[in-house]
Amino acid sequence: MKNLEKDQLETLLSIMGSTPSFKIAHFTDSGEEMLEMLSDYCSAHDYKYQINCTEKLFYEKVADDYKEKEHTKVVNFPLQRRSYMIQAQEYNFIFVTIDIEESFRKDFLQRVHKIVRSAGSLILFIPKKGYVERDNWLATLEESLYVSTSVIDDMFEHYDIIISRKMHGWGD
């Protein structure tokens, strides 16, 4: 993941508000700077933050850095696992900063759907590749029971942001 503009990321994080006890999961394979910012943000707001490292080498690289952080947990999390549910945890926000192959997107979104709380948000960072890539994501989100989808295409230099919600009772 390319570095993000810190002030823009802080603006994006402000959509979460300051409601206590939020849980955030993050699917990632790189980007230590973003992990640090999210971890600090969660600590400051008393949120729980689970970093799902989808690459074992990245997990080994960052696991020790967050061992002592009370609000942050690092998990070695292969994308191909059958279920994404761990100890019946549901999350208010899911950040996705990994590149997901088009052939696996629907499976990924269906697995993630089970761990998002009702009305929770999925926040996808997709590399700026043009409208075709973005439109493919939007169609797959709709097919996978995500609604209220918005695109932010002018916040970051290298990424478009897609924010979509799991609505109460849809697909449960």
Side-chain angles (χ1 to χ4, degrees):
M1 171 170 220
K2 294 181 181 178
N3 283 338
L4 298 173
E5 299 85 351
K6 281 186 174 186
D7 57 334
Q8 299 297 72
L9 183 57
E10 288 173 5
T11 300
L12 180 64
L13 294 177
S14 71
I15 68 168
M16 291 191 278
S18 60
T19 305
S21 302
F22 272 171
K23 292 181 183 172
I24 299 169
H26 182 188
F27 290 86
T28 185
D29 61 5
S30 63
E32 293 90 7
E33 187 175 42
M34 184 172 182
L35 300 183
E36 184 178 333
M37 284 187 71
L38 280 169
S39 179
D40 291 346
Y41 187 86
C42 289
S43 180
H45 289 86
D46 199 26
Y47 297 165
K48 297 293 182 193
Y49 177 42
Q50 180 169 304
I51 303 168
N52 295 327
C53 295
T54 60
E55 298 291 334
K56 187 172 174 76
L57 290 176
F58 187 63
Y59 167 77
E60 292 170 353
K61 182 177 181 180
V62 300
D64 284 342
D65 296 341
Y66 296 94
K67 211 184 308 185
E68 303 297 322
K69 302 242 181 182
E70 178 184 341
H71 292 85
T72 303
K73 178 181 179 182
V74 181
V75 177
N76 184 22
F77 202 101
L79 282 182
Q80 300 302 329
R81 68 190 289 166
R82 288 183 41 164
S83 173
Y84 288 5
M85 182 68 73
I86 299 175
Q87 297 177 342
Q89 293 288 322
E90 289 184 325
Y91 299 90
N92 302 88
F93 293 93
I94 307 283
F95 283 79
V96 180
T97 57
I98 55 174
D99 187 24
I100 300 172
E101 295 291 324
E102 191 170 348
S103 61
F104 185 66
R105 288 179 187 166
K106 192 165 186 170
D107 287 336
F108 174 78
L109 291 173
Q110 288 172 342
R111 292 173 191 182
V112 166
H113 197 273
K114 294 175 179 155
I115 65 171
V116 179
R117 281 203 171 145
S118 291
S121 294
L122 177 70
I123 302 172
L124 296 164
F125 287 70
I126 60 169
K128 287 188 186 279
K129 294 182 182 175
Y131 293 106
V132 173
E133 176 78 4
R134 190 169 56 187
D135 289 347
N136 286 341
W137 267 110
L138 295 175
T140 306
L141 283 162
E142 186 177 333
E143 291 170 15
S144 302
L145 304 175
Y146 291 87
V147 296
S148 300
T149 302
S150 301
V151 176
I152 303 171
D153 60 3
D154 59 354
M155 183 173 269
F156 296 103
E157 181 180 351
H158 301 288
Y159 297 95
D160 288 334
I161 308 300
I162 299 176
I163 302 171
S164 199
R165 287 191 176 270
K166 172 186 175 179
M167 295 307 283
H168 175 69
W170 291 37
D172 289 339

